[in-house]
């Protein structure tokens, strides 16, 4: 039985089916249709596509009971047949632990197997550290599987004394290397940051992520999360201004990047400010507008400010500038030209009343 | 024709799908929905008429029965080890539970097959929902899960709508939760504080629409967030590459906010054409294998934006064809108004 390890090398995991000889298998009963039960069919993608026409024609000739049956790999079927029996006998042992690992490696989305494994961990059939290594190895192979992340979170939450929060952040960082926008990783990370109050560290961490990739919207979102959820929020006006300046410096590096534009609007709102009063922000937008640069997010920001102003005071200057912005958006943001034409019409309609 | 009238690949998939689909072994009913949904939208259901009654039985075989109807719904596959029974089965062991997303997929698939949902244990399903809502209003998919998020809120709303009974959820808490999932950029996230996402935005808007509460949110700002996801195809998140499934997630959301007229369908169509495979069907992006989810969602998007003639219209908030929605309205004995 091979052990999982957390190195980048993938270990082939083989199951010795002889270990389970005494367990009466429970086959899946997919209905009276015998086709799947009688024949061993190894249908991989290539074979499948070569036979699309044959398979398609079969359907009209013979009634089928199961819808879209999966051509299970023989080992998966064999292992599942054993598993269906042990959920009833509830055998909690090393050999059932191996069985769960074998199935999970083939199908990490199998939530029933994960639940069974969770009970094995509770029972002490495996060491917590080994289980952490297992989830890490699996996470690298299947980073988008919800179950792996939920299992990890359950482990950390239940065996909190055995875990150093900072090591958990390092674990997430190792997995984020494969995909810096992994939704599950960021979700788990938020839980961890809140659970262990790691906000201070996290602010620096997001800075690192943004430095690596200024377009990583997950990292921008995480930064917003820190300011929103940390107890002190923004400590004072200077704290807020520093953040605005940080964001503006990032916008200037890549002005077409949508992430910091959304972020700066979010931060201004979070601090309870009126965007029109944040001078550095307004002049940044106006600068792009005056220079006639195709930075649609600057124009959108400016349009929002002007529309708010128009609401509170009728002023022809505001109105004509807003219309100009719409014209530029129709031009620069071509794919959304129908939308900007509509927004322009709204302005004209409002003015004629 | 992008949606391909004869639907060759789907008909083959209904017969058997390759082993790479084993990761969907516990959610086979979603594959059923994506396969049947394609035939429905392309008006090709007559091709499978011979199997219709058997498939209805096969879906009902997933139903979870309880003694006093204290729980109900559908399992995602027949993997628990029951003997096949076209009426469903009682709990086999502690690991055998219904799953809310599978109940949703089962109800939709049954409607597509023209079933009147007469054999659905309605009381059990509604009581089952009561076991899944958390304090903050969110839902988990099954009793022993810890995955609370917006996806399952949508499933709960859609199930309640189809069965015309919202007593299984605390609606006020649901609304509170949905509103809190709106991110600072006005897209919706899968859970509080997470990054805005096309799929979650669909779940939020569809739930609100089903509850007749779309007015609770800033629709203008939300629509702009959605429209900005278009590059040529739609992207699910800011600065991520386009993916065909967002033709549905983002497209249906735009449609619920009455914004389809603002979308430039020319580059969208070009993108989708690139993602069509030589076998028929669509992959998630160029040079990808076709799969049932992305094929279905692309066709749903083609219908939403009227890119292709001859497709049935889509009821966006349920994700169901007009034709099958009629079945729900006319055949089910709790008649929706
Ligand atoms: Zn996709």
């Amino acid at each position: 039985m091979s052990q999982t390890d957390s190195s980048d090398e993938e270990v082939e995991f083989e199951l010795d089916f002889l270990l389970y000889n005494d367990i009466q298998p429970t086959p899946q009963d997919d209905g009276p249709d015998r086709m799947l039960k009688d024949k061993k069919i190894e249908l991989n993608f290539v074979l499948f596509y070569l036979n699309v026409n044959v398979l398609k024609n079969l359907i009209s000739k013979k009634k089928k009971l199961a819808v879209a049956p999966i051509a299970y790999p023989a080992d998966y079927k064999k292992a599942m047949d054993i598993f269906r029996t042990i959920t009833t006998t509830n055998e909690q042992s090393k050999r059932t632990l191996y069985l769960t690992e074998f199935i999970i490696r083939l199908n990490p989305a199998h939530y029933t197997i994960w639940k069974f494994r969770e009970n094995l961990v509770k029972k002490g059939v495996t060491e917590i550290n080994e289980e952490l290594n297992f989830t890490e190895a699996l996470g690298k192979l299947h980073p988008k599987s919800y179950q792996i992340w939920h299992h990890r979170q359950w482990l950390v939450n239940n065996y909190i004394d055995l875990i150093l929060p900072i090591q958990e952040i390092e674990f997430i960082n190792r997995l984020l290397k494969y995909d810096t926008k992994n939704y599950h990783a960021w979700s788990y990370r938020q839980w961890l940051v809140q659970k262990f109050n790691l906000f201070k560290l996290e602010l620096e961490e997001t800075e690192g992520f943004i430095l690596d990739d200024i377009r990583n919207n997950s990292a921008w979102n995480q930064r917003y999360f820190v300011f929103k959820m940390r107890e002190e929020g923004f400590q004072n006006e200077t704290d807020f201004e520093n953040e605005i300046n940080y964001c503006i410096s990032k916008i200037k590096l890549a002005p077409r990047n949508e992430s910091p534009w959304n972020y700066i609007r979010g931060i201004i709102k979070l601090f309870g400010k009126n965007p029109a009063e944040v001078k550095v922000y307004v002049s940044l937008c106006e600068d792009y507008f005056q220079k006639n640069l195709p930075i649609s997010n600057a124009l959108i920001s400016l349009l929002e400010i002007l529309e708010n102003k128009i609401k509170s005071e009728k002023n022809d200057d505001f109105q004509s500038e807003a219309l100009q912005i719409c014209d530029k958006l129709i031009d620069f943001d071509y794919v959304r030209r129908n939308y900007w034409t509509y927004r322009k019409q709204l302005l004209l309609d409002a003015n004629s009343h | 024709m992008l949606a391909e009238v004869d639907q060759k690949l789907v008909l083959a998939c209904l017969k058997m799908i390759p082993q790479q689909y084993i990761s969907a072994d516990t959610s086979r009913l979603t594959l059923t929905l994506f396969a049947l949904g394609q035939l429905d939208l392309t008006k090709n259901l007559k091709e499978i008429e011979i199997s219709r009654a058997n498939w209805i039985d096969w879906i009902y075989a997933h139903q979870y029965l309880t003694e006093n109807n204290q729980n109900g719904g559908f399992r995602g596959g027949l993997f628990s080890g029951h003997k096949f029974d076209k009426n469903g089965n009682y709990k086999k062991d502690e690991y055998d539970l219904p799953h809310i997303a599978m109940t949703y997929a089962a109800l939709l698939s049954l409607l597509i097959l023209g079933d009147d949902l007469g054999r659905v244990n309605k009381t059990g399903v509604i009581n089952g929902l009561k076991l899944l809502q958390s304090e903050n209003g969110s839902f988990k998919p099954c009793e022993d899960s810890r995955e609370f998020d917006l996806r399952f809120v949508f499933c709960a709303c859609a199930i309640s709508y189809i069965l015309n009974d919202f007593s299984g959820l605390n609606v006020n808490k649901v609304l509170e939760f949905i509103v809190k999932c709106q991110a600072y950029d006005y897209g919706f996230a899968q859970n509080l504080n997470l990054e805005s996402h096309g799929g979650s935005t669909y779940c939020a808007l569809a739930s609100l629409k089903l509850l007749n509460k779309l007015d609770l949110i800033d629709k203008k700002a939300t629509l702009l967030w959605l429209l900005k996801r278009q590059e040529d195809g739609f992207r699910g998140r800011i600065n991520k590459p386009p993916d065909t499934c967002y033709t549905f997630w983002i497209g249906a959301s735009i449609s619920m906010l009455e914004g389809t007229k603002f979308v430039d369908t020319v580059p969208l169509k070009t993108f989708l054409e690139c993602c069509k495979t030589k076998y028929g069907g669509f992959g998630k992006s160029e040079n990808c294998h076709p799969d049932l989810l992305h094929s279905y969602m692309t066709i749903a998007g083609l219908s939403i934006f009227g890119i292709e003639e001859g497709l049935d219209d889509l009821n966006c908030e349920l994700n169901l064809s007009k034709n099958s929605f009629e079945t729900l309205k006319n055949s089910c004995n709790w008649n929706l108004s």
Side-chain angles (χ1 to χ4, degrees):
Chain A
M1 200 67 48
S2 67
Q3 291 295 309
T4 58
D5 67 18
S6 54
S7 77
D8 286 356
E9 252 168 81
E10 174 42 16
V11 192
E12 197 62 38
F13 187 86
E14 282 177 28
L15 194 64
D16 180 4
F17 280 102
L18 291 174
L19 276 175
Y20 309 90
N21 261 348
D22 59 312
I23 297 175
Q24 181 69 35
T26 311
Q28 169 166 276
D29 188 351
D30 222 0
D33 178 28
R34 306 297 309 173
M35 182 169 155
L36 272 178
K37 287 181 207 155
D38 296 345
K39 290 185 192 153
K40 265 205 187 117
I41 301 166
E42 293 271 349
L43 188 66
N44 59 27
F45 266 138
V46 177
L47 261 174
F48 175 75
Y49 293 119
L50 285 174
N51 289 296
V52 162
N53 279 313
V54 183
L55 283 165
K56 181 223 161 190
N57 289 333
L58 277 172
I59 197 136
S60 45
K61 298 211 180 84
K62 186 169 167 270
K63 280 192 209 171
K64 285 283 297 177
L65 196 75
V67 182
I70 301 169
Y72 295 115
D75 278 356
Y76 178 77
K77 192 179 165 301
K78 232 162 130 184
M80 278 302 299
D81 288 353
I82 300 167
F83 182 74
R84 281 183 267 273
T85 304
I86 62 164
T87 52
T88 311
T89 59
N90 213 6
E91 179 188 318
Q92 296 183 307
S93 61
K94 278 281 181 213
R95 69 171 179 174
T96 60
L97 182 80
Y98 298 146
L99 185 73
T100 61
E101 171 159 359
F102 184 74
I103 298 171
I104 284 170
R105 282 178 175 272
L106 291 169
N107 177 11
H110 205 309
Y111 57 85
T112 308
I113 315 282
W114 280 107
K115 196 74 202 178
F116 190 88
R117 190 169 174 101
E118 184 183 308
N119 286 337
L120 294 179
V121 177
K122 279 186 200 158
K123 181 87 178 177
V125 177
T126 184
E127 296 287 321
I128 301 307
N129 266 331
E130 276 179 37
E131 195 62 4
L132 289 169
N133 288 342
F134 173 66
T135 51
E136 175 154 355
L138 261 283
K140 284 175 177 166
L141 289 173
H142 307 281
K144 292 201 166 166
S145 164
Y146 279 92
Q147 278 67 36
I148 295 168
W149 291 96
H150 282 281
H151 188 69
R152 180 87 183 192
Q153 184 171 334
W154 168 79
L155 272 174
V156 170
N157 196 32
N158 277 266
Y159 301 92
I160 222 154
D161 302 340
L162 303 172
I163 285 147
L164 274 177
I166 187 75
Q167 279 177 358
E168 221 22 42
I169 291 285
E170 282 163 7
F171 154 75
I172 297 173
N173 283 342
R174 283 196 295 280
L175 283 196
L176 281 173
K177 263 194 217 133
Y178 296 80
D179 170 12
T180 55
K181 300 171 181 179
N182 183 324
Y183 210 79
H184 308 292
W186 287 104
S187 170
Y188 174 50
R189 193 177 177 112
Q190 288 196 354
W191 175 81
L192 205 68
V193 168
Q194 286 175 290
K195 180 96 189 165
F196 297 101
N197 194 4
L198 305 172
F199 288 101
K200 196 160 179 269
L201 168 74
E202 193 62 357
L203 195 61
E204 292 162 25
E205 289 276 304
T206 61
E207 210 166 320
F209 279 102
I210 292 168
L211 204 60
D212 285 345
D213 174 11
I214 203 169
R215 291 178 178 79
N216 184 346
N217 195 58
S218 308
W220 283 101
N221 183 76
Q222 188 76 352
R223 197 166 170 90
Y224 182 88
F225 154 79
V226 170
F227 282 113
K228 184 181 166 205
M229 298 310 288
R230 69 176 190 181
E231 212 177 320
E232 66 270 32
F234 287 106
Q235 282 153 332
N236 48 46
E237 188 88 18
T238 323
D239 201 20
F240 167 74
E241 278 167 12
N242 285 342
E243 192 56 18
I244 294 293
N245 289 331
Y246 167 77
C247 192
I248 286 178
S249 72
K250 297 296 175 191
I251 289 176
K252 284 181 172 165
L253 286 174
R256 284 161 173 276
N257 175 18
E258 186 179 346
S259 297
W261 284 105
N262 290 336
Y263 177 79
I264 199 168
R265 285 196 284 263
I267 286 291
I268 291 170
K269 198 171 167 191
L270 185 65
F271 193 61
K273 279 255 185 188
N274 176 356
E277 284 160 14
V278 184
K279 290 209 175 67
V280 277
Y281 166 66
V282 178
S283 62
L284 176 79
C285 297
E286 274 182 338
D287 193 40
Y288 288 123
F289 171 59
Q290 299 303 343
K291 286 182 179 151
N292 199 28
L293 293 171
I295 312 298
S296 46
N297 279 298
L299 299 172
I300 293 170
S301 300
L302 210 49
L303 182 64
E304 185 185 79
I305 292 170
L306 286 166
E307 282 183 334
N308 281 331
K309 281 187 183 168
I310 293 169
K311 259 184 225 155
S312 49
E313 63 172 300
K314 272 261 155 76
N315 178 320
D316 285 345
D317 288 347
F318 295 158
Q319 170 78 6
S320 73
E321 193 178 340
L323 289 173
Q324 270 184 57
I325 289 172
C326 286
D327 283 330
K328 282 187 196 239
L329 281 166
I330 292 167
D331 194 16
F332 295 148
D333 197 22
Y334 185 75
V335 79
R336 276 163 287 277
R337 65 195 175 284
N338 292 339
Y339 178 71
W340 297 119
T341 309
Y342 157 79
R343 286 285 292 264
K344 184 181 171 186
Q345 195 55 47
L346 284 184
L347 279 165
L348 292 168
D349 291 350
N351 203 37
S352 64
H353 290 311
Chain B
M1 291 289 275
L2 269 174
E4 189 186 22
V5 178
D6 82 341
Q7 287 282 302
K8 186 175 70 177
L9 182 62
V10 161
L11 291 170
C13 285
L14 284 163
K15 189 73 189 172
M16 185 178 286
I17 49 178
Q19 61 193 30
Q20 278 80 355
Y21 278 97
I22 54 169
S23 60
D25 194 25
T26 52
S27 51
R28 287 175 62 195
L29 286 182
T30 63
L31 301 180
T32 303
L33 173 61
F34 296 140
L36 295 177
Q38 283 183 65
L39 294 179
D40 190 11
L41 284 170
T42 56
K43 303 182 180 168
N44 274 310
L45 281 172
K46 56 188 179 302
E47 299 278 335
I48 50 113
E49 184 55 34
I50 188 170
S51 299
R52 210 170 58 88
N54 280 337
W55 283 353
I56 289 174
D57 284 347
W58 184 78
I59 293 170
Y60 275 115
H62 292 69
Q63 191 166 202
Y64 183 87
L65 305 171
T66 45
E67 291 297 344
N68 307 309
N69 302 331
Q70 72 271 31
N71 195 358
F74 289 76
R75 306 160 176 95
L78 298 171
F79 57 87
S80 300
H82 290 287
K83 254 194 90 51
F84 184 91
D85 187 327
K86 64 185 168 79
N87 296 312
N89 267 298
Y90 290 90
K91 193 183 185 92
K92 174 177 167 263
D93 50 54
E94 69 163 303
Y95 298 98
D96 179 26
L97 286 168
H99 188 289
I100 196 173
M102 302 308 138
T103 305
Y104 163 77
L107 296 180
L108 255 58
S109 301
L110 287 168
L111 289 168
I112 292 171
L113 291 170
D115 182 69
D116 65 1
L117 307 186
R119 285 146 71 189
V120 173
N121 182 345
K122 200 183 152 189
T123 318
V125 174
I126 298 297
N127 284 335
L129 294 181
K130 293 175 189 164
L131 306 169
L132 306 177
Q133 192 169 19
S134 80
E135 226 2 80
N136 76 356
S138 63
F139 270 81
K140 58 181 176 179
C142 63
E143 242 183 299
D144 64 6
S145 168
R146 281 178 292 269
E147 278 180 69
F148 289 93
D149 67 53
L150 206 44
R151 291 173 299 160
F152 308 118
V153 168
F154 164 69
C155 293
C157 291
I159 291 165
S160 305
Y161 182 91
I162 292 168
L163 300 180
N164 200 21
D165 182 349
F166 279 90
S167 66
L169 39 149
N170 180 331
V171 173
N172 284 334
K173 288 213 158 173
V174 160
L175 296 173
E176 224 174 273
F177 177 72
I178 296 173
V179 168
K180 279 191 191 154
C181 285
Q182 190 156 33
Y184 60 88
D185 60 12
Y186 294 95
F188 285 81
Q190 201 166 80
N191 218 326
L192 308 178
N193 300 320
L194 296 182
E195 184 185 2
S196 57
H197 187 289
S200 329
T201 304
Y202 169 79
C203 290
L205 296 180
S207 304
L208 291 173
K209 179 100 195 260
L210 291 166
L211 293 163
N212 207 8
K213 291 283 182 197
L214 267 178
D215 288 332
L216 278 182
I217 55 157
D218 183 342
K219 285 193 275 191
K220 184 177 158 190
T222 310
L223 178 60
L224 182 54
W225 184 88
L226 288 161
L227 294 171
K228 280 167 88 178
R229 291 316 112 232
Q230 188 182 15
E231 176 96 325
D232 39 13
F234 286 105
R235 305 182 274 193
R237 285 190 266 160
I238 290 165
N239 292 333
K240 294 269 285 180
D243 172 336
T244 53
C245 67
Y246 295 105
T247 323
F248 168 77
W249 299 118
I250 302 277
S253 301
I254 289 174
S255 173
M256 287 186 276
L257 298 179
E258 293 161 23
T260 49
K261 56 184 176 289
F262 301 130
V263 171
D264 189 349
T265 54
V266 176
L268 175 60
K269 190 176 175 188
T270 310
F271 168 73
L272 297 176
E273 273 163 355
C274 289
C275 302
K276 177 154 183 167
T277 76
K278 62 179 173 187
Y279 313 105
F282 295 85
K284 73 172 183 158
S285 52
E286 218 179 328
N287 301 323
C288 289
H289 277 301
D291 65 78
L292 286 166
L293 180 146
H294 287 90
S295 297
Y296 172 76
M297 300 224 152
T298 304
I299 291 170
L302 293 173
S303 160
I304 292 167
F305 291 111
I307 294 175
E308 189 147 312
E309 307 248 314
L311 299 177
D312 198 3
D313 287 341
L314 187 77
N315 174 305
C316 287
E317 55 272 30
L318 278 183
N319 176 25
L320 187 64
S321 75
K322 271 271 155 60
N323 181 55
S324 298
F325 187 69
E326 287 303 310
T327 306
L328 171 61
K329 262 178 18 189
N330 302 327
S331 316
C332 300
N333 64 6
W334 48 90
N335 286 324
L336 288 179
S337 50

